[in-house]
Amino acid sequence: MNVAVLLNAMPGAVSQGLIWGVMAIGVYVTYKILDFADLTVDGTMALGGAVCVMLMMRGVPMPLAMLAAVLAGMLAGLATGLFHTAMGIPPILAGILTQLSLYSINLWIMGFKANQGISVTKYCLLVSGRNVRALAANNPIFVMAIVHAALIGLLYWFFGTEKGCALRATGANERMARAQGINTSRGKVLGLMISNGIVALSSAILSQYQGAVDVNMGRGAIVIGLAAVIISEVLFGRLFTNFALKLSGVAIGAVLYYIVLQFVLWLGLDTNMLKLLSALVVALFLAVPYWNGRFRANMARREARQNA
Amino acid sequence: MLELNALRKVFNPRTVNEKIALDGVDLRLEDGDFVTVIGGNGAGKSTLLNAIAGVWPLDGGSVRIDGEDVTSLVEHERARWLGRVFQDPMTGTAATMQIEENLALAMRRGRKRGLRRGITRAERELFRGKLADLGLGLEDRMSAKVGLLSGGQRQALTLLMATMQRPRLLLLDEHTAALDPRTALKVLELTDRIVRENHLMTLMVTHNMRDAIAYGNRLVMMYEGRVIMDISGEEKRALTVPMLLEKFALLSGDDFASDRALLS
């Protein structure tokens, strides 16, 4: 095994991690703040790219195309939100329904082709995988650091406003929120829209980075997002108590996830097995707090028995 | 003024578990009334408060606050008139948010929430003073997460949150039932003080007959979804637990032993 190969792959891994980190922050908004496991993201993670690439191919400037992608993502969040709040469908199922609809919608947007390319030589792109080793302003790592600073700053501001606080209260204790006059249904819809807007932004960036959008691009995105959230919680849970630091932690979590991924690929794991590995890792990390609690309960019981 | 007119609520209608929780409740509270509500398990006490708060739609009747019909309004829309404290100390506050953040949320009850700061410096000073009044030392822990507080502290905080924006009606749903006797007494005294100081129209559900007699100017007894007794003034002041038990047996035609929960 050649260590140089691994090191050579690192800039790409970090770039991808940072791009997926944007999506992970979107997942954080629903999963941690709203306490809503939103499976829409698997669909939104292809939707943003589809909208962005197809618009750019029709001559729309890149910033506008990305804005449209974000708005499309927010619409997807709106759909899931209405499935849940207006139609009473449980969160997971509401997300799955939108996700499934998005598969058709994404194909429709992409002219019923499974993928569409957008070359960096012909278009002005925000980031491109070709520049991962460039020591220049267009290096994706550098660009993504700025994107993260802006995004985290914006979210930090928003969740400190009256509306943002109301949203946090909705996720923390719905009954209390309603008793304090907060429209929790509207809050959930708003939260889902924000989250999916962020995910679509990530998707639009990823498709530019790859130079193509693929209808299956978002498959398993929710698991990657959860992995990033959980990794950051396990590693920085005690250290990062400030909200902005927590969001940064999620982005770092995504980067670490991609570095680990690169590492196991270097060890010789088949690319096709990656999703299985991701799922198992997330399952394991989700189980840790549960096992911890059970272990402590057992200890307490044993102590009580000894004292009796 | 609160006017409840023929409130009716049926849970699980047309099933074997059908339960008529409210069976035509008429009740009228004047400004400054502090009414204690007693009754056995399943008498409809908590259901009555939930009906007023708009937790679910009614099956009949109307709720008017200061003459305004709020029957068609949902829970969060009615919140502008209501301060609420629940039986479970976990319910009234957001555990993962700071003490001051919880208070700031309560400060905005009944107001439009926009993109202004969720908590201001002036508010922090106000909260510090209010918390100091509670005498629990919470004024020095304002940025602590509420989840770290004890049940009694959380109920005191919820009480403060419910009354900081002066509510037209304060709803207390057995808010001391989950506390140990000493803490319960403290929270009750605090409740009494806040209600008197702010001259609040209050409905307090309790399991405890002594508390129901000791506090408030009016006592309402419920039985099987109806109000079977409504005592105020001199008569309420002269009331004792044995007298209450006797009245209960007389009015409900039920032997008290079959409803022991009333005593607790």
Side-chain angles (χ1 to χ4, degrees):
Chain A
M1 282 189 232
N2 192 343
V3 180
V5 173
L6 179 66
L7 289 178
N8 207 31
M10 276 304 133
V14 172
S15 302
Q16 283 202 46
L18 284 169
I19 294 169
W20 284 90
V22 171
M23 184 227 43
I25 287 175
V27 170
Y28 183 91
V29 170
T30 42
Y31 184 69
K32 291 304 285 185
I33 298 178
L34 268 189
D35 194 19
F36 190 114
D38 176 29
L39 299 190
T40 317
V41 294
D42 281 29
T44 317
M45 197 56 199
L47 173 69
V51 169
C52 181
V53 166
M54 295 313 283
L55 282 178
M56 285 180 74
M57 283 169 67
R58 277 171 181 71
V60 176
M62 178 263 291
L64 272 182
M66 288 181 67
L67 181 68
V70 171
L71 292 177
M74 292 176 86
L75 275 180
L78 177 69
T80 301
L82 293 181
F83 276 145
H84 177 55
T85 59
M87 294 163 73
I89 299 170
I92 303 239
L93 195 51
I96 289 176
L97 290 175
T98 312
Q99 185 198 110
L100 188 66
S101 333
L102 281 175
Y103 188 80
S104 300
I105 293 172
N106 291 341
L107 276 172
W108 172 69
I109 293 172
M110 291 161 66
F112 297 106
K113 284 193 183 144
N115 49 59
Q116 290 276 5
I118 184 162
S119 167
V120 69
T121 51
K122 279 198 243 159
Y123 297 91
C124 168
L125 302 179
L126 181 73
V127 289
S128 169
R130 294 198 189 175
N131 303 328
V132 281
R133 274 174 218 91
L135 276 173
N138 66 2
N139 186 307
I141 296 175
F142 178 70
V143 175
M144 288 316 295
I146 294 172
V147 169
H148 273 287
L151 178 66
I152 290 169
L154 191 67
L155 288 176
Y156 185 79
W157 165 79
F158 175 75
F159 282 103
T161 65
E162 294 176 335
K163 249 193 183 17
C165 286
L167 224 76
R168 282 159 58 209
T170 300
N173 184 346
E174 216 178 321
R175 278 190 77 189
M176 172 266 195
R178 277 199 295 266
Q180 297 302 341
I182 293 165
N183 186 341
T184 51
S185 296
R186 213 168 53 190
K188 284 184 193 172
V189 173
L190 179 66
L192 284 163
M193 289 177 73
I194 292 172
S195 165
N196 280 286
I198 295 169
V199 174
L201 173 71
S202 166
S203 168
I205 298 173
L206 183 65
S207 60
Q208 293 178 57
Y209 178 85
Q210 299 175 336
V213 55
D214 189 294
V215 75
N216 289 315
M217 199 163 87
R219 181 162 291 170
I222 181 71
V223 176
I224 297 174
L226 288 179
V229 170
I230 296 164
I231 289 171
S232 84
E233 225 158 59
V234 170
L235 293 183
F236 316 120
R238 278 162 210 276
L239 211 62
F240 291 179
T241 47
N242 174 284
F243 183 64
L245 281 178
K246 277 186 185 169
L247 293 181
S248 316
V250 172
I252 297 171
V255 171
L256 291 176
Y257 175 83
Y258 268 87
I259 289 177
V260 171
L261 224 61
Q262 205 56 247
F263 183 70
V264 292
L265 286 177
W266 176 72
L267 288 178
L269 186 82
D270 190 301
T271 330
N272 292 317
M273 300 306 283
L274 279 184
K275 292 213 193 299
L276 173 65
L277 182 78
S278 307
L280 290 178
V281 166
V282 168
L284 197 67
F285 273 105
L286 282 174
V288 167
Y290 174 73
W291 285 338
N292 241 335
R294 263 209 337 205
F295 176 72
R296 261 185 229 139
N298 274 340
M299 289 299 281
R301 221 173 292 147
R302 197 168 305 163
E303 231 164 79
R305 217 176 297 142
Q306 277 167 359
N307 293 342
Chain B
M1 191 171 52
L2 172 75
E3 295 159 280
L4 307 179
N5 179 25
L7 297 189
R8 182 175 170 79
K9 180 67 189 178
V10 184
F11 288 119
N12 310 312
R14 293 178 299 280
T15 69
V16 284
N17 293 322
E18 182 172 283
K19 160 100 182 142
I20 302 174
L22 294 178
D23 192 8
V25 173
D26 294 296
L27 195 65
R28 184 189 164 102
L29 266 67
E30 303 296 336
D31 287 353
D33 262 353
F34 181 175
V35 181
T36 56
V37 183
I38 56 168
N41 282 332
K45 310 181 301 288
S46 292
T47 311
L48 178 68
L49 293 205
N50 286 338
I52 297 169
V55 175
W56 19 248
L58 284 165
D59 294 314
S62 67
V63 178
R64 280 170 178 276
I65 302 173
D66 288 342
E68 190 168 341
D69 192 336
V70 301
T71 317
S72 63
L73 300 185
V74 296
E75 195 175 359
H76 72 88
E77 292 170 320
R78 294 191 200 182
R80 52 189 273 223
W81 291 283
L82 306 175
R84 292 162 72 192
V85 186
F86 309 88
Q87 178 173 0
D88 182 350
M90 303 294 165
T91 311
T93 46
T96 52
M97 295 175 80
Q98 298 168 352
I99 292 177
E100 58 181 27
E101 286 176 332
N102 273 273
L103 287 166
L105 284 166
M107 195 74 186
R108 285 159 182 74
R109 182 165 50 76
R111 295 193 198 162
K112 201 168 154 34
R113 291 163 209 261
L115 294 177
R116 286 177 304 253
R117 294 279 79 203
I119 179 167
T120 64
R121 196 167 301 170
E123 281 174 338
R124 279 202 182 92
E125 283 317 300
L126 175 77
F127 297 160
R128 194 179 302 280
K130 296 258 182 197
L131 286 168
D133 283 346
L134 294 182
L136 298 170
L138 295 181
E139 65 274 15
D140 300 321
R141 303 171 60 190
M142 291 202 343
S143 57
K145 296 267 155 62
V146 169
L148 299 171
L149 305 185
S150 69
Q153 287 172 326
R154 281 182 83 156
Q155 286 306 65
L157 182 64
T158 310
L159 200 56
L160 182 57
M161 287 167 63
T163 53
M164 203 163 41
Q165 277 292 344
R166 188 176 185 276
R168 285 298 296 131
L169 173 66
L170 179 61
L171 298 175
L172 308 170
D173 190 0
E174 297 193 44
H175 68 308
T176 59
L179 307 176
D180 67 79
R182 249 187 60 213
T183 315
L185 182 66
K186 262 185 159 173
V187 171
L188 268 175
E189 308 258 272
L190 179 69
T191 307
D192 195 47
R193 200 185 88 206
I194 290 178
V195 169
R196 279 170 197 272
E197 276 173 7
N198 299 290
H199 199 62
L200 295 174
M201 181 161 68
T202 302
L203 262 177
M204 178 172 94
V205 167
T206 174
H207 250 122
N208 188 310
M209 292 195 145
R210 274 179 297 273
D211 291 343
I213 293 168
Y215 296 94
N217 65 327
R218 207 171 138 191
L219 184 148
V220 163
M221 186 185 276
M222 290 188 73
Y223 179 74
E224 291 187 343
R226 281 171 290 119
V227 171
I228 57 166
M229 186 167 78
D230 188 344
I231 300 175
S232 58
E234 264 325 303
E235 200 186 348
K236 158 102 171 26
R237 268 189 288 276
L239 209 59
T240 61
V241 172
M243 282 163 71
L244 208 51
L245 291 175
E246 200 178 310
K247 277 182 192 287
F248 177 80
L250 193 72
L251 288 166
S252 67
D254 207 343
D255 179 25
F256 184 67
S258 68
D259 210 343
R260 294 211 68 90
L262 213 60
L263 242 186
S264 67

